[in-house]
Amino acid sequence: MTLLLRLTRGIDALNRAVGWLAMWLILSATLISAGNAIVRRAFGTSSNAWLEVQWYLFAAVFMLGGGYAFLRNAHVRIDFISSKLSARTRNWIDVLGIVIFVLPLCVMMIKLGWPLFERAWQSGEVSSNAGGLVRWPVYLLIPAGFALLALQSASELVKRIAFLTGKGPDPLDHTGPSETELLAKEIAAAEAERAAQSGHQKS
């Protein structure tokens, strides 16, 4: 169990990094969307390539963010019901949900998504829109996103089993800071580190 818990830390770090990447992708998609709207209004023209970049970024955030959402326990729960259950019951429900639903779904979607990517890669499939982009990067998001979700599901499964066997804390304990507060602290810390690095480079 100790080795498995170490592996969970590596998986958590991976999905945390992907989550940070997704945040920057959201910003990029927002800026590109605004740029597309401004150019269309100001100059009466637009670019299908840039429109598709915007869609690809949105798809990347949606597909790659599943594992990060699970890491943060930010996915939808029926809190009205779960709050009335004991900690062990909540963790048992999660164990069953991961084993019966989440992991089989991830395996199925990886198996279905990989051939789409492979065919697009081999054929060089391109968007049917004039000036559109190649399709394989967005198809690759399907198996990649579900692979990240599968890894995080395995990590969460180990954490819940560790708690149920008395070898770890309750991963569903929400008595600490909220997810919003933790995220705000991480963003503030990253900004402070970036500012410190910038000041060091200038000096």
Side-chain angles (χ1 to χ4, degrees):
M1 183 59 72
T2 301
L3 176 60
L4 290 176
L5 288 172
R6 288 179 182 173
L7 289 174
T8 65
R9 288 193 286 271
I11 294 171
D12 292 353
L14 171 62
N15 271 307
R16 193 173 292 111
V18 173
W20 274 103
L21 172 63
M23 294 176 199
W24 285 107
L25 293 181
I26 292 172
L27 175 61
S28 300
T30 303
L31 294 175
I32 291 172
S33 176
N36 286 335
I38 292 170
V39 169
R40 186 166 58 252
R41 290 287 185 179
F43 303 104
T45 186
S46 64
S47 165
N48 285 332
W50 281 107
L51 286 172
E52 292 190 4
V53 166
Q54 176 186 326
W55 302 336
Y56 281 23
L57 291 174
F58 175 78
V61 171
F62 184 81
M63 291 305 305
L64 301 180
Y68 182 70
F70 202 176
L71 168 65
R72 290 289 193 176
N73 280 313
H75 51 292
V76 176
R77 290 181 182 275
I78 307 176
D79 293 331
F80 175 74
I81 296 176
S82 64
S83 62
K84 299 181 182 299
L85 303 175
S86 68
R88 290 186 64 83
T89 301
R90 288 198 300 271
N91 279 276
W92 269 116
I93 290 172
D94 267 22
V95 166
L96 294 175
I98 291 169
V99 172
I100 297 174
F101 297 108
V102 183
L103 287 174
L105 172 66
C106 290
V107 171
M108 180 181 70
M109 293 305 296
I110 291 169
K111 286 184 175 180
L112 292 174
W114 185 260
L116 289 174
F117 156 71
E118 198 170 30
R119 283 196 297 270
W121 171 269
Q122 292 174 351
S123 67
E125 180 182 346
V126 178
S127 168
S128 59
N129 296 318
L133 305 177
V134 293
R135 289 296 196 191
W136 68 261
V138 76
Y139 289 144
L140 180 59
L141 292 172
I142 299 172
F146 279 98
L148 288 170
L149 180 57
L151 285 172
Q152 193 60 47
S153 299
S155 173
E156 298 303 319
L157 180 62
V158 170
K159 294 176 195 174
R160 282 149 182 74
I161 292 175
F163 169 72
L164 292 169
T165 56
K167 297 178 181 178
D170 181 5
L172 300 177
D173 182 12
H174 299 301
T175 57
S178 68
E179 294 301 319
T180 303
E181 291 171 337
L182 289 172
L183 181 58
K185 287 181 179 178
E186 288 186 9
I187 292 173
E191 290 296 330
E193 182 179 354
R194 189 176 298 108
Q197 291 177 350
S198 177
H200 178 71
Q201 290 175 353
K202 289 180 180 179
S203 62

